[in-house]
Amino acid sequence: DAGITQSPRYKITETGRQVTLMCHQTWSHSYMFWYRQDLGHGLRLIYYSAAADITDKGEVPDGYVVSRSKTENFPLTLESATRSQTSVYFCASGTDTQYFGPGTRLTVL
Amino acid sequence: AQSVSQHNHHVILSEAASLELGCNYSYGGTVNLFWYVQYPGQHLQLLLKYFSGDPLVKGIKGFEAEFIKSKFSFNLRKPSVQWSDTAEYFCAVMTTDSWGKFQFGAGTQVVVTP
């Protein structure tokens, strides 16, 4: 079944470690997005990409790195994880409408 | 700066009651408007969207929304809710200035009691 997938679905890591969250879509959407969802803050945009090799910062980009070498993949890397990055991370793709992946629940100890 | 306001953070109602969730945005130009639903433990799913044309939009699961341009509003309605409508509802706006990027409201948690 085509769509948008995220991996891993759950991740526990320790402070200071590097973590990469994967996002893959099969629709060939040009735009892809990373959000984090935290209680009291709703959805906040971390980074987005308008096409392969084109990325831009969102509202809360500090501590995160993205790349997009292929249209279908948009990995998000936490270079040195901190406890404040404990959150649920959603990837989305689309052009005039965004379609969301199932999310990754990340816990940083 | 553009913003999206959802008036109610938390709504509790009984089954068969009518639901209306408010959404207002601040942007003077052309907008595309969306409502998403997030069931407990799940991801956001599109309920309905408005791009142009008839300002009354019908979506999935019996939801509808009305775009009132003069009021910068896009309120979500359902005539008779069910327990399964318990979820968080998000309004989102995409402007022509920021094609592809959405501005989300803070969300409204809806609890439907049996």
Side-chain angles (χ1 to χ4, degrees):
Chain A
D1 190 21
I4 182 166
T5 57
Q6 294 183 236
S7 60
R9 296 293 312 280
Y10 302 90
K11 177 74 177 178
I12 300 174
T13 190
E14 294 177 337
T15 301
R17 290 190 180 267
Q18 183 179 79
V19 177
T20 296
L21 310 183
M22 304 301 294
C23 178
H24 175 79
Q25 53 110 352
T26 60
W27 292 306
S28 298
H29 287 152
S30 55
Y31 280 86
M32 294 188 74
F33 307 84
W34 274 106
Y35 294 90
R36 59 178 291 175
Q37 186 177 33
D38 306 285
L39 273 175
H41 291 280
L43 282 162
R44 292 183 290 177
L45 182 64
I46 305 170
Y47 269 96
Y48 69 102
S49 168
D53 298 321
I54 301 175
T55 62
D56 206 350
K57 296 178 181 178
E59 184 185 351
V60 289
D62 292 344
Y64 302 95
V65 174
V66 293
S67 62
R68 194 166 176 207
S69 57
K70 293 183 178 181
T71 300
E72 60 267 29
N73 296 324
F74 191 38
L76 175 74
T77 298
L78 288 66
E79 295 185 297
S80 178
T82 65
R83 290 198 181 113
S84 65
Q85 292 177 311
T86 291
S87 186
V88 180
Y89 291 85
F90 287 102
C91 178
S93 74
T95 50
D96 57 11
T97 301
Q98 289 188 22
Y99 299 94
F100 284 78
T104 295
R105 185 174 293 275
L106 176 68
T107 301
V108 183
L109 301 176
Chain B
Q2 302 151 13
S3 66
V4 180
S5 299
Q6 292 185 235
H7 311 302
N8 308 97
H9 294 295
H10 205 94
V11 172
I12 301 174
L13 59 168
S14 301
E15 276 190 314
S18 63
L19 173 70
E20 181 160 0
L21 303 181
C23 174
N24 284 88
Y25 62 93
S26 62
Y27 181 71
T30 302
V31 293
N32 292 342
L33 300 159
F34 306 82
W35 276 99
Y36 285 84
V37 61
Q38 186 177 29
Y39 299 105
Q42 296 190 25
H43 62 287
L44 274 75
Q45 301 172 42
L46 181 68
L47 268 181
L48 49 79
K49 60 185 178 182
Y50 172 80
F51 288 172
S52 64
D54 188 343
L56 186 61
V57 181
K58 294 194 183 299
I60 61 171
K61 303 179 189 286
F63 286 90
E64 64 179 30
E66 185 176 13
F67 171 50
I68 303 179
K69 189 174 181 179
S70 60
K71 295 185 178 180
F72 300 91
S73 70
F74 190 55
N75 293 352
L76 181 71
R77 298 193 291 251
K78 185 170 184 178
S80 177
V81 295
Q82 301 172 326
W83 176 79
S84 57
D85 292 321
T86 293
E88 190 156 18
Y89 293 80
F90 293 91
C91 180
V93 175
M94 182 174 72
T95 70
T96 51
D97 286 353
S98 301
W99 186 257
K101 286 177 64 178
F102 282 22
Q103 189 76 31
F104 281 90
T108 299
Q109 181 67 47
V110 173
V111 175
V112 180
T113 60

